[in-house]
Amino acid sequence: MKRNMTRTVTLLILSALILTSCGRVAESRLNPFNWFGRGEPVEVTEAREVNPLIPQRSIFAARAPDRTYTGIAVSQVTALRVDRVPGGAVITATGVTPRLGAHDVRLTLEETTNGIQVYALRTLQDPRDGRVGPPPGRTVTAGVRVSDQDLAGIRRIRVLSASNALESRR
């Protein structure tokens, strides 16, 4: 009888210790939901403007149909989320465009250097459409799935816009 009582008390004490440590695990790096934090503002150091009058390829190159994405950077990135999914992560960015009528919104990979993966939030817009509306009407969201192999060695994910950038750290 005494042996059963000792075993029960020991199990109760161990259960209480394990349950009280659950709060610490929820905020630790062991929890896969905490691998990437919320988007934080970072300073933009260089302007990324492309002059459409300067050709990007030789004028002597074969005239194959141009299927490159020619989206322009959104005015401002307002939110960045990196959600873990089986086999990788989903990067979701929200931004505000300069005018109404944005379509074909994409997160395009710009570069990967020194453990930082840099994306740009871009959209297609008709330059003749000058309608400007309230920010909720100009808000766009895009996402991209990244595999675990692509995330190997990546410590930060940064999303650029025309005026700011947001960064999420691992």
Side-chain angles (χ1 to χ4, degrees):
M1 179 80 172
K2 188 169 184 140
R3 183 177 179 151
N4 285 340
M5 183 73 124
T6 307
R7 189 177 292 170
T8 304
V9 169
T10 305
L11 284 175
L12 284 173
I13 291 173
L14 284 176
S15 298
L17 287 173
I18 290 172
L19 283 176
T20 57
S21 67
C22 285
R24 289 278 190 217
V25 173
E27 298 170 3
S28 74
R29 295 287 181 192
L30 297 175
N31 185 349
F33 291 111
N34 294 335
W35 286 357
F36 284 99
R38 296 259 182 227
E40 301 171 357
V42 292
E43 186 175 325
V44 178
T45 57
E46 60 185 58
R48 294 189 173 263
E49 292 188 28
V50 176
N51 188 342
L53 299 176
I54 301 174
Q56 298 297 315
R57 58 187 172 99
S58 170
I59 58 172
F60 300 110
R63 296 288 179 191
D66 190 15
R67 292 193 173 97
T68 59
Y69 181 72
T70 58
I72 60 168
V74 299
S75 297
Q76 180 181 16
V77 177
T78 57
L80 171 64
R81 270 183 63 177
V82 180
D83 296 318
R84 295 288 300 169
V85 295
V90 173
I91 303 167
T92 307
T94 302
V96 179
T97 62
R99 296 181 311 275
L100 293 172
H103 61 283
D104 196 8
V105 183
R106 296 185 189 180
L107 270 175
T108 57
L109 180 63
E110 298 292 310
E111 64 183 351
T112 303
T113 56
N114 300 330
I116 302 174
Q117 208 166 38
V118 180
Y119 289 88
L121 184 58
R122 299 181 177 278
T123 182
L124 293 179
Q125 286 193 302
D126 186 1
R128 298 168 295 188
D129 189 1
R131 298 176 298 145
V132 179
R138 297 180 287 131
T139 300
V140 294
T141 301
V144 65
R145 186 182 191 284
V146 184
S147 69
D148 281 333
Q149 290 82 14
D150 293 337
L151 286 175
I154 300 299
R155 305 305 295 160
R156 297 179 189 172
I157 293 175
R158 182 180 296 157
V159 176
L160 303 174
S161 72
S163 64
N164 73 332
L166 291 180
E167 187 174 89
S168 181
R169 300 171 194 234
R170 213 187 251 217

